[in-house]
Amino acid sequence: MLINLIVNDQPKVFLCKPGDFLLDTLRENNYLSVRRGCDTTNCGVCTVLFDGKPVPSCSLLTVKAEGHHITTVEGIQEEADKMGKLFGAEGADQCGFCNPSIALTVYALKKELINPTGLDVKEYLVGNLCRCTGYIAQERAIKSYLGDKS
Ligand code: FES
Ligand code: FES
């Protein structure tokens, strides 16, 4: 079956089977920033934005995304680069495996919440696990990014 998605603002058509998950569809089509972690909706490493909201792509059937906007980190490259510098400056990048998913989640948070508190940030990021236990450094970098109005 053919599924139409708008990926990073570009209309795309993907050949899929009914049971394919979005994570596999994206990776098979070279959106390799979308990573596979637990594959059980627990780690958040596979996060993409679905109409601007973070979702785990390992548990979203590609057919359910028909006609919707999907954003990967390639679609927010300028903001991701800005975040990457701040994560590096705070020693928060570590292994970097989770960075694309965290960048997407923080980007969505910035769009959705006005003047988020520290608690808002923690709650918004609750679905993104980092195995390097870098949360404190990540929090400093995220606060710095959210304060950046440029
Ligand atoms: S790979 Fe999707 S939540 Fe872990
Ligand atoms: S930086 Fe290593 S898993 Fe997050």
Side-chain angles (χ1 to χ4, degrees), residues 14-88:
F14 298 104
L15 181 61
C16 305
K17 295 188 286 302
D20 284 354
F21 287 99
L22 186 59
L23 170 62
D24 298 301
T25 302
L26 290 171
R27 287 192 60 82
E28 283 162 14
N29 287 279
N30 289 321
Y31 294 96
L32 297 176
S33 68
V34 188
R35 307 248 165 93
R36 185 188 311 280
C38 65
D39 227 2
T40 58
T41 326
N42 281 293
C43 72
V45 156
C46 63
T47 297
V48 296
L49 303 185
F50 180 93
D51 293 340
K53 303 276 190 213
V55 297
S57 62
C58 71
S59 57
L60 179 69
L61 288 170
T62 305
V63 292
K64 295 271 190 186
E66 167 71 29
H68 288 273
H69 281 266
I70 301 299
T71 309
T72 69
V73 82
E74 291 91 344
I76 60 156
Q77 200 58 60
E78 203 174 306
E79 292 300 304
D81 287 348
K82 209 185 285 185
M83 273 184 251
K85 287 195 180 84
L86 296 169
F87 271 60

Side-chain angles (χ1 to χ4, degrees), residues 33 35 44-45 47 73 76 80 83-85 87-88 92-106 125 128-132 138:
S33 68
R35 307 248 165 93
V45 156
T47 297
V73 82
I76 60 156
M83 273 184 251
K85 287 195 180 84
F87 271 60
D93 48 351
Q94 302 188 69
C95 82
F97 194 71
C98 63
N99 285 1
S101 60
I102 289 180
L104 285 162
T105 303
V106 172
L125 281 156
N128 293 79
L129 303 186
C130 175
R131 288 131 197 91
C132 301
Q138 285 179 359

